Amino acid sequence: MSLVTDRRTLVARAPHPLRAEALRGFPPFAGAAVLLTLGVLLAGSAARWQGGWAETATQTHTTVLIAAPLAAAAGCWQGGRERRRRTEELWGTAVRGRLARFLASALPVALWTAVGYLAAAGLAMLATWPYAQGDRPHPELLPGDTVAVAAAALLGHVVGRAVPTRLAAPLLAIAGYVGLGVPSMSHSGSARHLNPAFPVLAPDAPVWWQPVSMAVWTAGLAFAAVLAYAARRRVTALLPLAAAVAAGAVLTQTGDGLWHEAPLARRQVCDTSTTPAVCVNARYAGMLPQVVDALSGITGKLKGVRNLPVRWEERDHESHDAEAQLPNLMPLGWSVVRGRLTDPREFAWEATAALERRPDCLHSTERMRRADDAVEAYLAPSPVQERFDEIDARGDAAHRADLRKRLAARAELAGMGAEERRDWLSAYFATAGTCDVKGVPAL
C-alpha cells in the first residue's frame, strides 16, 4: 500500500513536460530576444509613432517583418536541439508519441516569442499614453500579428527537425525577412493581403474579421506543416490546410476592402474664438490649444481685416475658398514629436503662406512677390525667411538690390497706421487665391 502511495505521489509531483520546457532552457531566451530586438527598433523610431495611437499600432504591426523571421529562426534552432545533443535515438524511445514530443519542444518557443512580441507592443502603447493627443488605442491588429509570430516559430521548428544543418536557423531568418519584405513593397495584386507584415498606413483600420482571417491563415499553414511532419496520420494535415486556404481566399477576394479609414479621422475639432478659426483633425484634438497659441501672433494682427478665409483646416484635400490649409501636423516626427510642435515659428510662417493661397501663377510680378514677402514677414517672421535674406545679402548686386527692396516693403507695411494697414491687408487678401496682378496693392 505504501509503495502504491509513493508511486502516486511521484506521478502527481512530476512536472508536465510542456511546463518544464517552457520554464527552462532556450524558449524564455527566445522571447527575450524578440522583446529586446523589437524594443531597440521601436525606440529608434519613437519620434515617428510616440504620441499617436494609430501610428503606434501601425509601427508595432510593421515589426512583424522582424519578429516573424526571428521567431522562425528560434523555432528552427530549437528543432535541431536533439540533433546537436546527439540524443535523437534516446528521444525516440520515449513513451509519448511523435506529435506529443514535437509539441512539447515546439510550443514553448512559439509561446515565448509571441509573448515577446506582445510585450513589445504593450510597452509601445505605454510609451504613447503620456503623449497621446486624442483618439484611443488600436489593438485590432495584435491578435493576427501575435498568431503570425507564433506560427512562424512552429514552421521554423519543422524546418529545424527536417534540415540537418546548423546554418538552417540563420538562413531561415534571412529567407523569412526577404519573403515578407519583398511582397510588402508591392502596391498591386490581391496576394499581398496574405502577407502578415503587409504595411498599414495610419489612420487605416482593419475590418473586424481581418485579424481573425489572418490568424486562421497563418496558424492553419503552421499546423498543417506540423501534422504533415509529426502526426501518425498525416492526412489530418488537410483539415488545418483547408482552413488556411479558406481564410486566404477571403483575404485575397476582399482585397482593399479589408481596410477602412478610422471614423475619427474624418472629423475636425475647431476653436472659433479666433479669425480665422483653427481646426485640427479629431485624432489629435489635444494639440488644438498648441496650434491656436502658435497662430495667436497671426490672428492677433488680423483683427478687423476683411476677406480672410473662414478657418484653417487640417485636411488632405485642396482648400476651398472659405478655408485655408493648415500646415501638416502629420506624419509624426516632422512638425510634431511626442505631442509637441517642434517649431511653432516655422509652423506659423507656413500657415501665413497658406492664407495667401496663391496658385502657380505663370506671370507673377515683382509687386506680387514683394507683397507676399512683406505679409509673411509682418504676420509671422521666420528663420527660413531670415536664412534667405542672409543668402541674398552675400549674393551678387542683383540679389542685394532685390533684398533692399523687400526690406523696404516690409518696413513700409510695418510702419503703417493700424487703420491704414487693415485696409491694405483687406485689399491684399481680396486677391488671395488668384493671379490678379492688378488687384494686389502696391508697397
Side-chain angles (χ1 to χ4, degrees):
M1 186 70 176
S2 176
L3 182 60
V4 173
T5 302
D6 290 343
R7 284 183 176 179
R8 288 177 178 175
T9 301
L10 289 173
V11 170
R13 290 178 179 177
H16 193 279
L18 188 62
R19 181 174 180 271
E21 290 277 5
L23 297 180
R24 296 197 302 267
F26 177 70
F29 290 101
V34 171
L35 173 59
L36 180 61
T37 303
L38 299 189
V40 170
L41 292 174
L42 289 169
S45 61
R48 297 199 301 269
W49 55 265
Q50 195 174 9
W53 287 119
E55 288 78 7
T56 301
T58 56
Q59 190 67 28
T60 53
H61 169 72
T62 302
T63 60
V64 173
L65 181 62
I66 301 298
L70 187 58
C76 185
W77 184 257
Q78 178 79 347
R81 179 185 62 178
E82 308 307 329
R83 187 183 302 109
R84 293 192 302 273
R85 293 177 176 177
R86 298 181 180 178
T87 57
E88 289 179 289
E89 294 184 3
L90 179 62
W91 187 243
T93 61
V95 177
R96 296 180 182 274
R98 186 181 183 187
L99 180 60
R101 298 197 305 269
F102 181 96
L103 293 177
S105 177
L107 287 180
V109 177
L111 174 65
W112 275 105
T113 51
V115 168
Y117 174 78
L118 275 177
L123 290 174
M125 289 185 177
L126 286 177
T128 285
W129 177 68
Y131 306 104
Q133 298 297 317
D135 206 357
R136 60 171 180 79
H138 292 278
E140 295 89 350
L141 291 168
L142 281 180
D145 294 343
T146 304
V147 172
V149 172
L154 290 177
L155 287 171
H157 202 90
V158 173
V159 174
R161 290 290 183 92
V163 179
T165 174
R166 290 175 180 265
L167 294 177
L171 291 177
L172 182 62
I174 295 172
Y177 179 76
V178 174
L180 293 176
V182 172
S184 68
M185 294 185 292
S186 174
H187 298 287
S188 61
S190 57
R192 72 187 191 280
H193 295 287
L194 296 176
N195 184 0
F198 177 75
V200 181
L201 299 177
D204 288 350
V207 295
W208 69 267
W209 47 265
Q210 188 276 342
V212 178
S213 299
M214 182 59 70
V216 174
W217 161 247
T218 55
L221 291 179
F223 280 111
V226 168
L227 293 176
Y229 174 80
R232 179 178 300 177
R233 296 181 179 178
R234 296 183 177 179
V235 70
T236 55
L238 294 177
L239 183 60
L241 182 61
V245 170
V250 171
L251 292 172
T252 55
Q253 292 299 318
T254 308
D256 292 334
L258 293 167
W259 311 97
H260 62 88
E261 188 179 36
L264 201 62
R266 296 190 290 269
R267 288 178 49 204
Q268 301 272 314
V269 292
C270 301
D271 186 325
T272 58
S273 64
T274 64
T275 302
V278 182
C279 301
V280 300
N281 193 281
R283 288 201 304 122
Y284 28 90
M287 290 206 64
L288 184 58
Q290 284 188 64
V291 174
V292 172
D293 184 63
L295 301 180
S296 61
I298 302 174
T299 54
K301 295 174 183 177
L302 290 178
K303 287 182 178 179
V305 176
R306 302 178 301 279
N307 303 317
L308 293 171
V310 174
R311 57 189 169 270
W312 279 288
E313 284 201 353
E314 209 283 323
R315 288 187 180 274
D316 294 328
H317 60 64
E318 186 177 353
S319 298
H320 301 300
D321 291 339
E323 64 187 35
Q325 181 74 35
L326 191 73
N328 290 330
L329 297 175
M330 300 295 122
L332 295 178
W334 295 91
S335 297
V336 178
V337 174
R338 295 180 182 88
R340 305 298 299 178
L341 287 173
T342 56
D343 193 338
R345 287 185 65 191
E346 186 171 347
F347 184 86
W349 179 68
E350 293 177 1
T352 301
L355 288 177
E356 298 165 1
R357 296 174 292 164
R358 296 284 185 206
D360 294 330
C361 300
L362 296 177
H363 304 289
S364 60
T365 64
E366 183 179 353
R367 183 170 67 176
M368 181 185 294
R369 292 192 299 270
R370 199 175 300 161
D372 291 345
D373 176 80
V375 170
E376 291 172 9
Y378 170 70
L379 293 179
S382 165
V384 176
Q385 200 173 39
E386 294 171 3
R387 286 196 293 270
F388 287 141
D389 292 347
E390 292 173 1
I391 293 172
D392 287 341
R394 296 193 299 267
D396 56 22
H399 285 88
R400 292 195 300 271
D402 184 66
L403 175 61
R404 286 193 296 271
K405 292 178 181 179
R406 293 203 309 271
L407 294 177
R410 296 175 194 173
E412 183 178 351
L413 178 61
M416 291 180 180
E419 187 66 31
E420 180 186 5
R421 187 165 48 241
R422 279 195 295 269
D423 292 339
W424 189 95
L425 288 172
S426 298
Y428 169 83
F429 283 112
T431 68
T434 70
C435 293
D436 182 10
V437 178
K438 296 180 180 179
V440 177
L443 282 174

